[in-house]
Amino acid sequence: MRVRRARQPRKRRSGPIADRPEGGLPGPLGAALGCLPGLAAVLALGVCANGVERAADRAGTARRAGSAQQAARPAGPYTAPRPRIVPRSVWLGGAAAFDRPPPRYDDKVLAVFVHHTDSPNDYDCADTPRIIRSLYTGQTHDRSWDDIGYNFLVDKCGTLYEGRAGGADRPVTGAHTQGFNHRTTGIAAIGTFTGGAAVPAAMSEAIAALAAWKLGLAGLDPRERVRLVSSNSNSRYPRGTTATLPAIAAHRDAYMTRCPGPALVARLPGIRQRAAALQGRTAARDGTEQAQQAG
């Protein structure tokens, strides 16, 4: 255990962190390590969410913010109801004792990235708010991020929590997948899902419900593949490259990591199908699961 020295007040970084490796790990080494299981929760979370990126210029962001809600309205008949989401005030408590810069927004959400927190699985769901607060503290105090990176978190009981500030209903620019924070939302499954780990059915159902709702706002089939532009060459795709990724993607699809773990990755095909069903879609009409699995 290392002894923590008393901290001097320091200035918070404004907006999402720039696209660069954080902490003491150089870029290539940090990318190679990814989200290795067994690290302490805060350290692992930092690596898993490593390299969150600089938002668009302030003028462009202001224009997007003004039209975000209108642009994200349902674009077709296939939508899903908003699942119950616990507001961040429930877990935040008195942890946010600093001035946070305004949230940033994109025009809509085109993909959902699934993560895990690489923390213990044997927690009591009543303790979830404390766990999220600890993750938040690790990012904002130890790493000087302006907020928790994930847009949402889900525990093993299937309870969804609002993560990053800005409004659960809005397309908030997250800090969860290096190179692909724009036009996406990130949901973190609380736990570690290495090979052989059990993924609770309630957790899978909650991820599907959130994805069905968020993607439905843009008229997207959760089984589709979508085109996203990389904003950082430290991702799997050089900056400026248009990548074709699953609408419900694993963190590892876009970044050099094992996150969200093989056990949770194996559940994604079923989660995509369930999300499509929640939108009222049928496999006979427009199912594309084979293409999703190939990706």
Side-chain angles (χ1 to χ4, degrees), residues 11-256:
K11 185 177 180 181
R12 298 283 163 184
R13 298 177 184 174
S14 177
I17 306 303
D19 271 336
R20 58 176 179 245
E22 292 287 343
L25 295 175
L29 178 58
L33 289 176
C35 296
L36 293 176
L39 295 176
V42 170
L43 177 59
L45 176 65
V47 177
C48 187
N50 181 34
V52 295
E53 62 218 11
R54 182 174 288 114
D57 66 276
R58 293 182 181 275
T61 299
R63 288 193 297 270
R64 288 197 302 272
S67 61
Q69 286 182 306
Q70 289 75 21
R73 297 303 183 196
Y78 297 106
T79 59
R82 181 189 193 275
R84 179 181 178 272
I85 300 170
V86 178
R88 60 186 268 127
S89 58
V90 170
W91 60 261
L92 193 58
F98 63 88
D99 292 329
R100 187 180 60 251
R104 309 297 176 90
Y105 298 94
D106 290 300
D107 58 336
K108 55 187 171 183
V109 169
L110 296 181
V112 175
F113 278 102
V114 179
H115 304 258
H116 70 172
T117 59
D118 204 11
S119 52
N121 293 339
D122 59 349
Y123 58 91
D124 189 303
C125 290
D127 202 30
T128 298
R130 183 198 62 78
I131 295 171
I132 299 175
R133 188 163 56 250
S134 177
L135 297 172
Y136 167 87
T137 300
Q139 290 189 348
T140 59
H141 288 272
D142 295 345
R143 302 176 68 79
S144 296
W145 293 7
D146 65 340
D147 198 356
I148 193 168
Y150 305 125
N151 299 98
F152 302 94
L153 299 96
V154 60
D155 66 17
K156 63 184 180 181
C157 293
T159 303
L160 289 163
Y161 289 82
E162 178 188 13
R164 195 167 183 84
D169 295 335
R170 302 186 65 185
V172 178
T173 304
H176 51 83
T177 303
Q178 181 163 303
F180 295 93
N181 287 321
H182 294 289
R183 308 188 95 186
T184 69
T185 198
I187 179 169
I190 298 174
T192 300
F193 300 101
T194 51
V199 180
M203 176 178 279
S204 295
E205 178 70 13
I207 294 172
L210 180 73
W213 169 59
K214 274 292 184 179
L215 296 176
L217 295 175
L220 288 170
D221 186 334
R223 300 163 297 186
E224 290 179 357
R225 298 176 70 82
V226 297
R227 294 164 63 85
L228 298 169
V229 178
S230 174
S231 62
N232 190 300
S233 293
N234 289 329
S235 72
R236 288 190 182 276
Y237 300 87
R239 181 176 182 176
T241 300
T242 298
T244 302
L245 299 168
I248 299 179
H251 184 191
R252 74 179 194 179
D253 290 330
Y255 185 70
M256 291 71 72

